[in-house]
Amino acid sequence: MHWGAYEVFSVLSGLAMVVLAVVPGIKAKDRMWALIAGALYIGYGIYVAKQTSGTFVFPVWIFIIPFGVVIYLIVTLAKRYGAKEGE
């Protein structure tokens, strides 16, 4: 297998989406879409890593999603714990 930056970031983006899907407080519809997107990103990254030739297209989002998910989780947790302390 050949693991380059695109393949690694695709799998990391997929894992970030799966983690986002299991965070409490997310609507069921959003949870479902996060799981589907995560599975697709992981699958595509592994599929491309197994190829020995060819040209593959990766969206720019694979570089943005992990950071966006981390920021979203930090904001969500800050709101949740901030609300509990204010009670």
PDB file of all heavy atoms in Angstrom, residues 26-40:
ATOM      1  N   ILE A  26     -25.963  15.725  19.381  1.00  0.00           N
ATOM      2  CA  ILE A  26     -26.098  15.950  17.940  1.00  0.00           C
ATOM      3  C   ILE A  26     -27.394  15.295  17.469  1.00  0.00           C
ATOM      4  O   ILE A  26     -27.755  14.212  17.919  1.00  0.00           O
ATOM      5  CB  ILE A  26     -24.884  15.362  17.190  1.00  0.00           C
ATOM      6  CG1 ILE A  26     -23.624  16.070  17.619  1.00  0.00           C
ATOM      7  CG2 ILE A  26     -25.074  15.473  15.688  1.00  0.00           C
ATOM      8  CD1 ILE A  26     -22.375  15.493  17.012  1.00  0.00           C
ATOM      9  N   LYS A  27     -28.089  15.956  16.569  1.00  0.00           N
ATOM     10  CA  LYS A  27     -29.345  15.420  16.042  1.00  0.00           C
ATOM     11  C   LYS A  27     -29.092  14.101  15.314  1.00  0.00           C
ATOM     12  O   LYS A  27     -28.014  13.889  14.758  1.00  0.00           O
ATOM     13  CB  LYS A  27     -29.973  16.413  15.074  1.00  0.00           C
ATOM     14  CG  LYS A  27     -30.375  17.713  15.721  1.00  0.00           C
ATOM     15  CD  LYS A  27     -30.919  18.661  14.690  1.00  0.00           C
ATOM     16  CE  LYS A  27     -31.186  20.018  15.299  1.00  0.00           C
ATOM     17  NZ  LYS A  27     -31.592  20.983  14.293  1.00  0.00           N
ATOM     18  N   ALA A  28     -30.087  13.257  15.299  1.00  0.00           N
ATOM     19  CA  ALA A  28     -29.960  11.931  14.683  1.00  0.00           C
ATOM     20  C   ALA A  28     -29.628  12.026  13.192  1.00  0.00           C
ATOM     21  O   ALA A  28     -28.820  11.253  12.677  1.00  0.00           O
ATOM     22  CB  ALA A  28     -31.234  11.129  14.889  1.00  0.00           C
ATOM     23  N   LYS A  29     -30.247  12.988  12.513  1.00  0.00           N
ATOM     24  CA  LYS A  29     -29.987  13.155  11.081  1.00  0.00           C
ATOM     25  C   LYS A  29     -28.527  13.541  10.842  1.00  0.00           C
ATOM     26  O   LYS A  29     -27.864  12.991   9.958  1.00  0.00           O
ATOM     27  CB  LYS A  29     -30.913  14.223  10.499  1.00  0.00           C
ATOM     28  CG  LYS A  29     -30.736  14.441   9.007  1.00  0.00           C
ATOM     29  CD  LYS A  29     -31.699  15.483   8.494  1.00  0.00           C
ATOM     30  CE  LYS A  29     -31.080  16.841   8.721  1.00  0.00           C
ATOM     31  NZ  LYS A  29     -31.779  17.943   8.081  1.00  0.00           N
ATOM     32  N   ASP A  30     -28.006  14.472  11.628  1.00  0.00           N
ATOM     33  CA  ASP A  30     -26.616  14.899  11.500  1.00  0.00           C
ATOM     34  C   ASP A  30     -25.662  13.760  11.861  1.00  0.00           C
ATOM     35  O   ASP A  30     -24.619  13.593  11.250  1.00  0.00           O
ATOM     36  CB  ASP A  30     -26.340  16.108  12.384  1.00  0.00           C
ATOM     37  CG  ASP A  30     -27.131  17.328  11.946  1.00  0.00           C
ATOM     38  OD1 ASP A  30     -27.522  17.380  10.765  1.00  0.00           O
ATOM     39  OD2 ASP A  30     -27.368  18.211  12.792  1.00  0.00           O
ATOM     40  N   ARG A  31     -26.043  12.975  12.860  1.00  0.00           N
ATOM     41  CA  ARG A  31     -25.237  11.828  13.271  1.00  0.00           C
ATOM     42  C   ARG A  31     -25.136  10.811  12.120  1.00  0.00           C
ATOM     43  O   ARG A  31     -24.071  10.282  11.827  1.00  0.00           O
ATOM     44  CB  ARG A  31     -25.880  11.192  14.505  1.00  0.00           C
ATOM     45  CG  ARG A  31     -25.086  10.128  15.168  1.00  0.00           C
ATOM     46  CD  ARG A  31     -25.808   9.617  16.401  1.00  0.00           C
ATOM     47  NE  ARG A  31     -26.213  10.661  17.318  1.00  0.00           N
ATOM     48  CZ  ARG A  31     -25.478  11.100  18.327  1.00  0.00           C
ATOM     49  NH1 ARG A  31     -24.317  10.562  18.555  1.00  0.00           N
ATOM     50  NH2 ARG A  31     -25.910  12.057  19.116  1.00  0.00           N
ATOM     51  N   MET A  32     -26.271  10.553  11.460  1.00  0.00           N
ATOM     52  CA  MET A  32     -26.297   9.614  10.352  1.00  0.00           C
ATOM     53  C   MET A  32     -25.404  10.092   9.204  1.00  0.00           C
ATOM     54  O   MET A  32     -24.614   9.325   8.656  1.00  0.00           O
ATOM     55  CB  MET A  32     -27.727   9.418   9.850  1.00  0.00           C
ATOM     56  CG  MET A  32     -27.829   8.470   8.666  1.00  0.00           C
ATOM     57  SD  MET A  32     -29.431   8.514   7.851  1.00  0.00           S
ATOM     58  CE  MET A  32     -29.463  10.158   7.172  1.00  0.00           C
ATOM     59  N   TRP A  33     -25.525  11.371   8.845  1.00  0.00           N
ATOM     60  CA  TRP A  33     -24.722  11.896   7.747  1.00  0.00           C
ATOM     61  C   TRP A  33     -23.233  11.903   8.090  1.00  0.00           C
ATOM     62  O   TRP A  33     -22.391  11.668   7.229  1.00  0.00           O
ATOM     63  CB  TRP A  33     -25.185  13.296   7.348  1.00  0.00           C
ATOM     64  CG  TRP A  33     -26.456  13.263   6.564  1.00  0.00           C
ATOM     65  CD1 TRP A  33     -27.652  13.792   6.927  1.00  0.00           C
ATOM     66  CD2 TRP A  33     -26.663  12.646   5.291  1.00  0.00           C
ATOM     67  NE1 TRP A  33     -28.594  13.540   5.963  1.00  0.00           N
ATOM     68  CE2 TRP A  33     -28.014  12.839   4.940  1.00  0.00           C
ATOM     69  CE3 TRP A  33     -25.854  11.944   4.411  1.00  0.00           C
ATOM     70  CZ2 TRP A  33     -28.565  12.355   3.754  1.00  0.00           C
ATOM     71  CZ3 TRP A  33     -26.406  11.465   3.224  1.00  0.00           C
ATOM     72  CH2 TRP A  33     -27.732  11.687   2.910  1.00  0.00           C
ATOM     73  N   ALA A  34     -22.904  12.167   9.329  1.00  0.00           N
ATOM     74  CA  ALA A  34     -21.500  12.140   9.749  1.00  0.00           C
ATOM     75  C   ALA A  34     -20.935  10.722   9.641  1.00  0.00           C
ATOM     76  O   ALA A  34     -19.797  10.536   9.205  1.00  0.00           O
ATOM     77  CB  ALA A  34     -21.363  12.662  11.173  1.00  0.00           C
ATOM     78  N   LEU A  35     -21.735   9.722  10.036  1.00  0.00           N
ATOM     79  CA  LEU A  35     -21.275   8.332   9.918  1.00  0.00           C
ATOM     80  C   LEU A  35     -21.091   7.917   8.460  1.00  0.00           C
ATOM     81  O   LEU A  35     -20.103   7.270   8.113  1.00  0.00           O
ATOM     82  CB  LEU A  35     -22.260   7.387  10.613  1.00  0.00           C
ATOM     83  CG  LEU A  35     -22.156   7.301  12.116  1.00  0.00           C
ATOM     84  CD1 LEU A  35     -23.300   6.480  12.693  1.00  0.00           C
ATOM     85  CD2 LEU A  35     -20.823   6.695  12.525  1.00  0.00           C
ATOM     86  N   ILE A  36     -22.043   8.298   7.628  1.00  0.00           N
ATOM     87  CA  ILE A  36     -21.946   7.955   6.200  1.00  0.00           C
ATOM     88  C   ILE A  36     -20.733   8.627   5.574  1.00  0.00           C
ATOM     89  O   ILE A  36     -19.942   7.981   4.878  1.00  0.00           O
ATOM     90  CB  ILE A  36     -23.240   8.350   5.457  1.00  0.00           C
ATOM     91  CG1 ILE A  36     -24.391   7.435   5.897  1.00  0.00           C
ATOM     92  CG2 ILE A  36     -23.044   8.288   3.944  1.00  0.00           C
ATOM     93  CD1 ILE A  36     -25.754   7.882   5.406  1.00  0.00           C
ATOM     94  N   ALA A  37     -20.562   9.927   5.824  1.00  0.00           N
ATOM     95  CA  ALA A  37     -19.418  10.648   5.264  1.00  0.00           C
ATOM     96  C   ALA A  37     -18.109  10.077   5.790  1.00  0.00           C
ATOM     97  O   ALA A  37     -17.148   9.903   5.031  1.00  0.00           O
ATOM     98  CB  ALA A  37     -19.508  12.133   5.597  1.00  0.00           C
ATOM     99  N   GLY A  38     -18.061   9.765   7.071  1.00  0.00           N
ATOM    100  CA  GLY A  38     -16.850   9.187   7.657  1.00  0.00           C
ATOM    101  C   GLY A  38     -16.494   7.861   7.022  1.00  0.00           C
ATOM    102  O   GLY A  38     -15.334   7.604   6.679  1.00  0.00           O
ATOM    103  N   ALA A  39     -17.493   7.002   6.847  1.00  0.00           N
ATOM    104  CA  ALA A  39     -17.238   5.697   6.220  1.00  0.00           C
ATOM    105  C   ALA A  39     -16.760   5.860   4.784  1.00  0.00           C
ATOM    106  O   ALA A  39     -15.850   5.143   4.337  1.00  0.00           O
ATOM    107  CB  ALA A  39     -18.503   4.848   6.270  1.00  0.00           C
ATOM    108  N   LEU A  40     -17.345   6.805   4.059  1.00  0.00           N
ATOM    109  CA  LEU A  40     -16.928   7.021   2.664  1.00  0.00           C
ATOM    110  C   LEU A  40     -15.500   7.561   2.575  1.00  0.00           C
ATOM    111  O   LEU A  40     -14.716   7.119   1.723  1.00  0.00           O
ATOM    112  CB  LEU A  40     -17.898   7.967   1.967  1.00  0.00           C
ATOM    113  CG  LEU A  40     -19.276   7.386   1.679  1.00  0.00           C
ATOM    114  CD1 LEU A  40     -20.209   8.462   1.132  1.00  0.00           C
ATOM    115  CD2 LEU A  40     -19.187   6.218   0.723  1.00  0.00           C
TER     116      LEU A  40
END
